């Protein structure tokens, strides 16, 4: 089984996620040869469980996340904690996430 041929894609009609096989072109697009039906729930659940496992390894931090370039921040916060979001200041200095 060649795992390099399996990709997760977005169905732009339904905005759902699917798993498909295909070939990655030189321009970064994927030409799919086969697609599954909507697997959004399974994919998001798997990502959440993986983030929770990484979060549980560091017991001092109540959150775990990724900074995704050109997309945003993906953060998982432990139950029992709260958070707030505020606009980044214009001077470019990023304030760290505050633990409550």
């Amino acid at each position: 089984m060649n795992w390099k041929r399996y990709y997760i894609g977005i169905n732009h009609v339904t905005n759902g996620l699917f798993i498909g096989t295909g070939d990655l072109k030189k321009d970064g697009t994927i030409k799919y040869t086969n697609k599954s039906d909507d697997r959004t729930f399974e994919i998001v659940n798997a990502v959440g469980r993986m983030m929770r496992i990484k979060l549980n390894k560091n017991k001092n931090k109540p959150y775990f996340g990724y900074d995704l370039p050109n997309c945003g921040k993906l953060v998982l916060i432990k139950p029992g904690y709260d958070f707030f979001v505020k606009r980044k200041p214009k001077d470019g200095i990023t304030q760290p996430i505050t633990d409550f």
Side-chain angles (χ1 to χ4, degrees):
M1 182 174 240
N2 186 3
W3 288 105
K4 292 182 181 180
R5 292 182 40 91
Y6 287 86
Y7 299 97
I8 295 175
I10 302 169
N11 183 334
H12 294 289
V13 176
T14 64
N15 290 329
L17 300 174
F18 64 85
I19 301 170
T21 57
D23 296 313
L24 181 64
K25 295 182 181 179
K26 290 182 181 179
D27 64 356
T29 60
I30 302 166
K31 180 173 171 53
Y32 288 100
T33 55
N34 193 6
K35 297 179 185 180
S36 71
D37 53 345
D38 190 353
R39 294 288 179 221
T40 303
F41 180 76
E42 291 88 349
I43 293 168
V44 171
N45 237 349
V47 171
R49 282 190 307 237
M50 183 265 313
M51 290 175 72
R52 183 63 190 250
I53 289 169
K54 290 189 177 198
L55 177 61
N56 287 340
K57 287 183 180 179
N58 187 355
K59 299 194 185 306
N60 298 329
K61 237 166 75 166
Y63 62 90
F64 179 81
Y66 295 103
D67 192 1
L68 306 171
N70 301 322
C71 192
K73 297 182 188 312
L74 180 65
V75 180
L76 178 74
I77 299 171
K78 278 186 180 179
Y81 287 86
D82 201 359
F83 72 101
F84 70 94
V85 177
K86 70 180 207 174
R87 185 174 288 279
K88 187 175 177 179
K90 295 203 186 271
D91 59 8
I93 299 171
T94 304
Q95 183 180 10
I97 297 175
T98 306
D99 297 339
F100 293 101

